[in-house]
Structure formats: structure tokens, C-alpha cells
Amino acid sequence: MSRYRRYDGGDPLAPPVDIAEALDAIGQDVMAGYSPERAMREFLRRGGQDQSGLDDLARRVAERRRDLLQRHNLDGTLEEVRELLDKAVLEERKQLARDAMMDDGDRAFRELRLQNLPDSPAAAVTELGDYDWQSREAREAFEQIKDLLGRELLDQRFAGMKQALENATDEDRQAINEMLGDLNELLEKHARGEDTPEDFDEFMAKHGQHFPENPQDIDELLDALAQRSAAAQRMLNSMSAEQRAELMQLSAQAFGSPALMEQLDRLDANLMSLRPGEDWGGSEQFGDGDPSTTGLGLGDGTGVLQDLADLDALADQLSQGYGGARLDDVDLDKLARQLGSEAAVDARKLQELEKALRESGAMERGFDGELRLTPKAMCQLGRALLRDVAQRMSGRQGQRDVRQAGAAGDLSGATRAWEFGDTEPWDLPRTMLNGVLRRAGDPGGRLLSIDDVEVAETEARTQAAVALCVDTSFSMAMDGRWVPMKQTALALHTLIGSRFRGDSLELIGFGRHAQTMRIEELTALDARWAKGTNLHHALLLANRHFRKHPNAQPVLLIVTDGEPTSHLESSGDVFFSYPPHPTTIALAVRELDNARRLGAQTTFFRLGDDPGLARFIESMARRVEGSVIAPESDDLGAAVVGSYLGSRRGGADGRGSGPGTYGDWFGSRGFWVG
């Protein structure tokens, strides 16, 4: 048998999810100290520019839950009983007043009995259980109370039964009693382990019309019944003691016989023993004191309690707060029922995004089982940072490209008109095209003119050995410079790795001691809270890097926000002192002099406004004829990349020094970012 439903999968022709935005956000969080797994979870929680996140869906779930509780109360069935009872009493009094043939004593006795009915609807119904109604309309209204109670009690356990049994005959009620008996026998047989698939098939063939869920086996039948029955129990638990007492007393009047209640009690007991894991003891706080709320009958109230249980399950799934949580755990059918198809489409997109992130090669698990960014993802993030650096530099300089190109480098793909002294190779296609276009207006002209010649630009390929020394002391994290420092390192690493592969970059982090790092290590580095700024150790490692590349131009870039407060002793131990000890300063200065003797072009990037640090950095820069740049944290990447690009000329003035001076950002390196 085939079953169909409305398609709720969103636009089938929509393009696949784009993970570029997600990777950028994840990379930023990773550099802020998050693990890749947590960074991915945070992005899925926040969502993207055009994509709702888990937090938004969870908020809507919470609003829906709050609305259900505030909009309803649990007096619906009692109110209906009260209205029918008032109608029956009123019609009976009318009949007593009209009936002139009735004995006056009998009339007085009946009127007195009606006048002294208890205030409690349940007690009044019980009191009138044996009353001989004189009014046909009154008798019908009172019988409707019994019918209503029976249908409501059945609707609590079997959704839709209230409507199905409206205007039911005695035969219909007998069929329901027979179904309940067969169901209880099947469940008790299952509890003893004596049932067979044939027993279930026989039951469904006989009574399947009462189960719209269309269960395929007894376990599915049990799940559906237990969820509904547990919701009914939670509804009773949510009522006041007076409401529960009223309903329990009224239940005996259902269909005019206690047999129905006996079968339902038996059913509840069977379900509780077979599905003890359902929430049988929970309760909710409805808006019973608010006159603007809508009263719920027993069946509708049970449905609302089921909705609340679904919303609680969705909130748990959307929180992803349990071990091994995946977005595939989110029940899209439940989400569509509670929040609409658009919410289900948003959740499906998040599921696809999570799957794409895990399968795109952007993240992988290491030997320790931890998720980490792959080189592919690092490259993509670096390119994004490099584009941001280029925009910042373009905004300051008004340009991104230069005309000067070296003859010893790789072809850049660009061409320009030949000028006197150029040694670059001719670009023959462009040169011939220029000649053809010129002769189109002058057919008698020369086949080729000097003005037609275009040359192919090349990138300058002078090799550099670059040491980027970044301060990783606790003050960098404390003052919000941790992420800009990592972004700077990644942008420079990407630029050198993609455009200037002949250059050699060494990343050196220095806190209490210094160490060389791979870019993956530096970007994933958590904030360090140990005190100490060991510039001496960092310069030792930088000079070692320069000596490894004797034929390259040494470029020393130092990013720091504090004076040296520790140094490496001959024993290998770290000495720390604040204020800085003279020996610490002397050792740092000695290694800086060694860098100068190796020919290093040095640039200090001073972060912060400490006057003492400014004086110290200025004196260090003057000693080695280096430069000092004091950028804001957001401009640090542009400053470092600009200094690297201008390293062939040593700054805008050759020896430039001073706050805000970014050097000759482009130097002779040509177009460097795509």
C-alpha cells in the first residue's frame, strides 16, 4: 500500500549548501580558542546570514510551548458538563411549571430536589442519576453528559474517538467495549511473552479502524498507546485536586455504566507495566486562573500534553547537549507539525550543512580523536583574511597593484605597454592584436609599430627568509589581541605560501619561553596565562632560521605588547623578572644585534599605548636601523603584510620609523592577492 503526503523538503532545485561562510566563522572561533567541534556547533547554533540557526528554532519551540500553556486551561470537560446540567435542570423546571396535571406534592418534591442540588457538577450528576425526568429535552441533555464523558475518556486514549462516537448507537458502544477487551487481552498476552504476529494481525483486522497511526507490529501499537495514555495521566497530574476529584466521580457515569472505566483502568495498568519509561508522573502549569484562556476537554487536553512532550523532545534535540549529538537526531516530522514546514526546511538545511562540513575535507579527526581544521580549510580561511588585509591596504593607499615587475620571476598573467629599458618578454598575442586593430583604421600603415608592443609582467622573486615573532604572553589574551595576532600570522603564511613560495617563513611564538610553530598549531593555540615575554629566546630562534637560509634576505617582524621580562639561561632554564632585569634586556639586545649583522631588516609592531614600551621599542629600532609601527589591533594584519611586501626597500623612507608608518606595502612584489 502506498501512502502520500505534502512535500516539505524545500525547493528541490535549490543549489547545494555553501560552506564558505561557515568555514570563515568556524576559523574565527578556532583562532579565538574554540575547538573545531565546538566552533562548528556554535555556527550551527547561530546560523548564517540567510540561514536560521538552532537557537532560533529552539526559541520558536519555547514560544510555542509557552503559548500552549498560557492559552489553555483544563476546565473544558467540566464546563461542558456544567452547561449540559444547567440546560437539563432548566428544561425540567419549565416542564414542572407547565404540567398542570401533576400532583402538587410530587411537583414540590421535584422542585425541592432540583433546587438543592450540590454545587459540584460531579455530585449533582450523581444525585440526578436516578431522577425520573419529566422533560424530554432535559432527559436528552442529561444523557448527553454520560455520552460526553464516555467519548472524552476514550478520546484521551484514542485520538479522534470523541468525534467518531458522536451520536453513537448502543451497538457502537458495545463494539468499543469489545475492542478494549481484545486489546487488553493482547497486551497481557504480550506481557507474558505468549503473543504471536498472527495475534496482532488478527486484532488489527478486526479493530484497525480505531488506530489511525496504522502500527505495523505490536511494539508500534504499544508506543502509540503508551504515549497517549502517559499524556492523559500528565493532564490529570496537572489538574487541581478538586478538578481531579470531580472527573473521577464523573467517570463512573460514562456511557451510564462503570464498565468503560474498568476497561480503561485495566488498559492504563497494562501500558504502564509494558512502557515504564514513558513520563507518567509529569505535570504542567496551565493558565487556569486567566479568564481569557480556552478550556480543554479531556481528549484535546491530552493532545496538548502530547504536543508539549513533542516540544520538549525537540528542545532537547535542538540543544545538542548530550553525548554523540548530531543534527540528524532532530525529528523533522515533529518539527513540521509543531512549527510548520518552513522550520523543518531550515532544520534540514542545517543537517545538510553539518554533513557537508564533515564530508568536505574541511575538518578531520586526529590521532587523539579530536576534530581539527585540515590544511584545505586553513588555506581557505587564510585567503579570506588576505582579502580583508588587501581591502584595508587598498583603502589606505587607494591602490592594490603596481606597475613595476621583475624580470626574474614567474609570469603574473598581466601585460602592459613596452617602455624604454624594459627587459620583460613580449606578449605576442596582445602585440599582434594591437597592430591589427591599429591597421583597421589605417590599412596602409606599418605591420607593427613600437606602440603596439606589450610585455608580460612577472612577479619579483627575490628570496626572503622571514621570521614572524608573535607575543603569546597573557597580556595579549587579556587585552583582546589574541585573535588579531593569529589572523596576522595566517594571512602572512597564506600570502607567502600562495604567491611567494620561494620565501621561507618561520612562525615563532614567545611567552615565558619561545617555540617555533606550524600554522595549524598557532591558529589552534589556546590563550596562555603564564606571565613572561621572552624576546631573547624568540630572537635566538629567528637568527637560527636566518642562518639556515644564507642566500635569502632576512626579514625580522616582531609583534609585541610588552617589554622583555624573561630570558633563556645557559642551563636551558627560563629566568623571569618584572620589572625587566638588566640581564634580560642585555641578552635581547645582543641577539637583536646578531640579527642586524646577518643583514635582517627589522620591523617592530607595537601594540598598546604604554609609554615605557614605546621608548624601549623606539630605542631598539634605532639601534638596528629598523622601523616601528603602532597599528590598532584590527590593522595589525595589514601592517605586517605591508611591511613584508615592502621589505626589499626597508620602509617608505628606507629607514622609516614611527607610529602609523606601514612601509612600502607593495615594494617590487607586484599583484599579490586574487
Side-chain angles (χ1 to χ4, degrees):
M1 179 179 67
S2 299
R3 291 191 296 175
Y4 301 91
R5 67 178 181 181
R6 182 184 297 275
Y7 174 74
D8 60 357
D11 184 1
L13 302 179
V17 293
D18 183 7
I19 66 173
E21 179 188 9
L23 283 177
D24 287 345
I26 289 171
Q28 298 289 339
D29 285 343
V30 167
M31 287 191 287
Y34 288 13
S35 69
E37 181 79 35
R38 181 185 173 194
M40 180 179 68
R41 292 291 175 199
E42 287 298 319
F43 178 80
L44 294 173
R45 191 172 302 285
R46 294 191 305 265
Q49 184 175 357
D50 301 315
Q51 170 67 53
S52 296
L54 292 175
D55 280 350
D56 180 63
L57 292 173
R59 174 187 58 78
R60 292 163 63 184
V61 164
E63 289 175 352
R64 164 79 171 154
R65 192 184 199 286
R66 185 168 58 250
D67 181 61
L68 285 176
L69 291 173
Q70 293 177 350
R71 214 160 26 93
H72 299 104
N73 65 63
L74 302 179
D75 283 338
T77 297
L78 292 176
E79 285 297 325
E80 285 191 71
V81 169
R82 191 176 288 111
E83 290 173 5
L84 288 170
L85 182 62
D86 290 345
K87 179 181 178 181
V89 170
L90 179 62
E91 293 297 331
E92 181 69 6
R93 283 176 172 169
K94 289 179 181 178
Q95 179 62 30
L96 293 178
R98 289 194 302 264
D99 192 348
M101 305 300 295
M102 181 178 291
D103 179 73
D104 289 343
D106 186 25
R107 178 185 294 109
F109 176 74
R110 290 176 180 274
E111 288 178 346
L112 183 63
R113 188 173 179 183
L114 294 177
Q115 182 178 352
N116 292 313
L117 285 175
D119 293 333
S120 162
V125 170
T126 302
E127 176 73 20
L128 295 172
D130 59 351
Y131 182 81
D132 181 18
W133 298 93
Q134 301 299 301
S135 166
R136 179 177 58 83
E137 293 83 358
R139 182 182 300 107
E140 290 176 352
F142 191 75
E143 291 299 323
Q144 286 179 28
I145 292 176
K146 299 178 180 180
D147 183 69
L148 170 68
L149 291 170
R151 290 188 293 122
E152 286 280 16
L153 288 170
L154 287 170
D155 202 42
Q156 272 194 304
R157 278 78 173 180
F158 308 94
M161 195 68 81
K162 181 180 179 181
Q163 292 75 21
L165 288 180
E166 193 169 7
N167 302 319
T169 63
D170 290 339
E171 289 77 11
D172 295 330
R173 298 188 187 98
Q174 180 58 38
I176 291 297
N177 281 329
E178 184 179 354
M179 182 272 291
L180 289 173
D182 292 346
L183 177 59
N184 279 316
E185 288 180 8
L186 177 64
L187 297 184
E188 289 162 0
K189 199 173 181 181
H190 180 71
R192 295 191 302 268
E194 299 173 357
D195 65 313
T196 64
E198 288 74 19
D199 293 331
F200 171 79
D201 294 339
E202 182 181 347
F203 174 83
M204 291 300 296
K206 186 176 180 181
H207 304 295
Q209 70 272 19
H210 300 302
F211 302 92
E213 302 90 352
N214 192 27
Q216 300 302 304
D217 55 41
I218 192 168
D219 286 321
E220 290 188 12
L221 175 64
L222 270 171
D223 289 340
L225 289 173
Q227 289 169 9
R228 184 85 179 172
S229 182
Q233 184 60 51
R234 291 196 300 277
M235 181 180 179
L236 287 176
N237 299 343
S238 303
M239 293 179 176
S240 65
E242 293 78 9
Q243 288 173 323
R244 280 197 300 274
E246 289 277 312
L247 284 173
M248 290 301 99
Q249 189 173 352
L250 284 169
S251 298
Q253 304 295 326
F255 289 154
S257 167
L260 173 65
M261 201 61 203
E262 291 173 1
Q263 289 281 23
L264 292 178
D265 287 343
R266 180 182 169 194
L267 175 62
D268 289 342
N270 286 327
L271 292 173
M272 289 181 71
S273 68
L274 289 168
R275 289 292 185 271
E278 293 290 337
D279 183 9
W280 299 93
S283 63
E284 299 290 348
Q285 185 64 46
F286 285 84
D288 290 323
D290 189 343
S292 66
T293 56
T294 303
L296 292 171
L298 296 180
D300 291 338
T302 298
V304 168
L305 265 294
Q306 277 192 299
D307 286 341
L308 291 172
D310 286 349
L311 291 168
D312 288 340
L314 286 171
D316 189 44
Q317 294 163 7
L318 292 170
S319 73
Q320 297 283 286
Y322 47 92
R326 297 287 290 269
L327 284 186
D328 287 342
D329 299 340
V330 178
D331 190 326
L332 298 182
D333 290 335
K334 257 180 203 175
L335 197 62
R337 283 199 305 272
Q338 299 299 332
L339 299 184
S341 58
E342 290 185 3
V345 171
D346 286 338
R348 181 178 286 107
K349 286 181 180 177
L350 289 173
Q351 288 178 344
E352 293 171 355
L353 181 59
E354 181 189 42
K355 184 178 180 181
L357 284 169
R358 292 184 182 278
E359 297 179 356
S360 66
M363 289 184 286
E364 63 183 3
R365 293 202 178 274
F367 295 112
D368 55 359
E370 293 294 325
L371 203 64
R372 56 171 58 97
L373 295 179
T374 63
K376 174 183 176 182
M378 296 294 298
C379 185
Q380 181 172 336
L381 179 59
R383 286 197 296 267
L385 292 172
L386 204 52
R387 284 193 298 271
D388 180 65
V389 167
Q391 290 169 2
R392 290 180 179 275
M393 294 170 67
S394 176
R396 292 178 178 272
Q397 292 291 94
Q399 61 178 356
R400 288 181 59 191
D401 200 358
V402 293
R403 291 173 54 83
Q404 183 176 356
D410 298 330
L411 293 175
S412 68
T415 64
R416 60 175 174 80
W418 177 87
E419 294 178 356
F420 181 78
D422 281 338
T423 59
E424 292 85 356
W426 287 15
D427 187 291
L428 292 179
R430 290 290 304 176
T431 299
M432 296 303 296
L433 178 60
N434 291 339
V436 171
L437 293 175
R438 177 178 48 76
R439 291 200 315 280
D442 182 15
R446 291 186 177 184
L447 181 63
L448 200 62
S449 169
I450 191 64
D451 294 331
D452 300 328
V453 177
E454 291 199 21
V455 296
E457 288 188 341
T458 58
E459 295 176 340
R461 303 308 296 165
T462 305
Q463 188 180 25
V466 185
L468 175 61
C469 303
V470 290
D471 192 340
T472 58
S473 62
F474 91 104
S475 59
M476 291 284 286
M478 182 180 65
D479 295 332
R481 297 165 184 145
W482 196 255
V483 174
M485 174 271 291
K486 291 183 176 183
Q487 291 173 334
T488 298
L490 182 54
L492 183 60
H493 179 273
T494 302
L495 175 60
I496 292 176
S498 60
R499 295 290 181 176
F500 307 111
R501 296 186 179 91
D503 291 356
S504 178
L505 173 64
E506 185 88 306
L507 298 174
I508 302 170
F510 62 99
R512 197 173 187 89
H513 66 277
Q515 66 181 107
T516 59
M517 297 181 176
R518 293 182 296 109
I519 188 61
E520 294 83 6
E521 293 176 305
L522 181 58
T523 51
L525 186 66
D526 286 337
R528 294 180 172 178
W529 303 102
K531 296 181 179 180
T533 304
N534 200 333
L535 180 60
H536 166 239
H537 194 185
L539 292 172
L540 281 171
L541 296 176
N543 289 335
R544 184 182 67 179
H545 175 60
F546 297 150
R547 293 187 183 98
K548 287 181 180 178
H549 303 84
N551 297 322
Q553 168 63 53
V555 178
L556 178 60
L557 308 173
I558 302 172
V559 179
T560 185
D561 68 346
E563 300 175 68
T565 55
S566 63
H567 66 264
L568 197 65
E569 297 187 318
S570 57
S571 62
D573 295 330
V574 172
F575 174 87
F576 169 78
S577 173
Y578 184 83
H581 193 277
T583 303
T584 300
I585 300 297
L587 289 174
V589 169
R590 186 183 72 184
E591 287 305 316
L592 190 63
D593 289 342
N594 289 337
R596 181 190 181 190
R597 281 191 288 273
L598 290 170
Q601 297 181 9
T602 302
T603 305
F604 288 91
F605 300 89
R606 175 173 58 80
L607 303 178
D609 301 321
D610 179 36
L613 174 64
R615 288 192 296 271
F616 173 76
I617 294 295
E618 289 288 344
S619 63
M620 294 276 280
R622 283 195 300 270
R623 183 179 183 90
V624 295
E625 299 181 333
S627 301
V628 177
I629 300 174
E632 297 294 330
S633 293
D634 290 344
D635 283 335
L636 179 60
V640 172
V641 169
S643 179
Y644 162 70
L645 291 172
S647 60
R648 293 299 176 271
R649 295 185 178 178
D653 58 0
R655 305 290 185 191
S657 173
T661 302
Y662 284 28
D664 180 2
W665 281 353
F666 303 100
S668 59
R669 292 187 177 273
F671 190 78
W672 52 274
V673 65

